[in-house]
Amino acid sequence: MPLSEQEQRLLDEMERHLMNKDADVVSASRDGRTLSYRNIVYGTILVLVGLGGLIAGVSTGIIPIGVIAFLVMVAGVVLAATPAKGLAALKTSPEHKGQRKPSRTGSSSFMDRMNDRWDRRQDGS
């Protein structure tokens, strides 16, 4: 049995809402901290420098150079995975880039509207 136009619009609206909520869940950060692009770039550079040093240390047979290079690589990975704190996290958040983030009150009013529509539909049948 095909859906009526109203049911189809309601289904489309619910789908859009769920897609927005899924995007919010995926991009949500822990404790208000997000990964910093600056840290990722510097960490990647450190890993590449460490990899080059490791190759140089192994090819020359000088073990301390390889060990130091490996430690530089580990430091690069730790730096890249470290979340930003304070103002750096605020600068990279979508709220400060002009993008509107839906609030919790918006999601509750959406559900209230859905419940109201459902009740009206049930009363009309």
Side-chain angles (χ1 to χ4, degrees):
M1 183 169 127
L3 298 175
S4 68
E5 284 186 34
Q6 182 182 4
E7 291 170 335
Q8 188 63 42
R9 279 185 279 134
L10 179 62
L11 184 62
D12 290 340
E13 185 178 345
M14 290 172 67
E15 185 177 304
R16 280 193 306 272
H17 177 72
L18 285 173
M19 292 297 243
N20 288 340
K21 292 302 281 180
D22 286 346
D24 291 343
V25 170
V26 169
S27 66
S29 62
R30 295 180 186 163
D31 301 330
R33 301 185 316 177
T34 60
L35 290 179
S36 166
Y37 291 114
R38 181 184 57 92
N39 285 356
I40 292 172
V41 169
Y42 290 155
T44 304
I45 291 171
L46 276 177
V47 168
L48 292 175
V49 167
L51 183 62
L54 184 63
I55 291 171
V58 168
S59 65
T60 60
I62 303 172
I63 294 176
I65 291 177
V67 171
I68 292 171
F70 179 76
L71 293 176
V72 168
M73 288 173 55
V74 170
V77 169
V78 169
L79 178 64
T82 302
K85 300 175 189 172
L87 293 177
L90 293 176
K91 289 179 184 175
T92 59
S93 70
E95 294 170 343
H96 294 280
K97 290 184 178 181
Q99 298 174 354
R100 188 178 70 86
K101 185 176 179 182
S103 64
R104 287 206 176 265
T105 59
S107 64
S108 65
S109 66
F110 173 79
M111 291 307 294
D112 291 340
R113 286 192 331 246
M114 293 299 111
N115 287 333
D116 291 341
R117 286 182 183 178
W118 180 258
D119 291 339
R120 280 186 304 214
R121 181 173 167 85
Q122 294 301 321
D123 292 339
S125 297

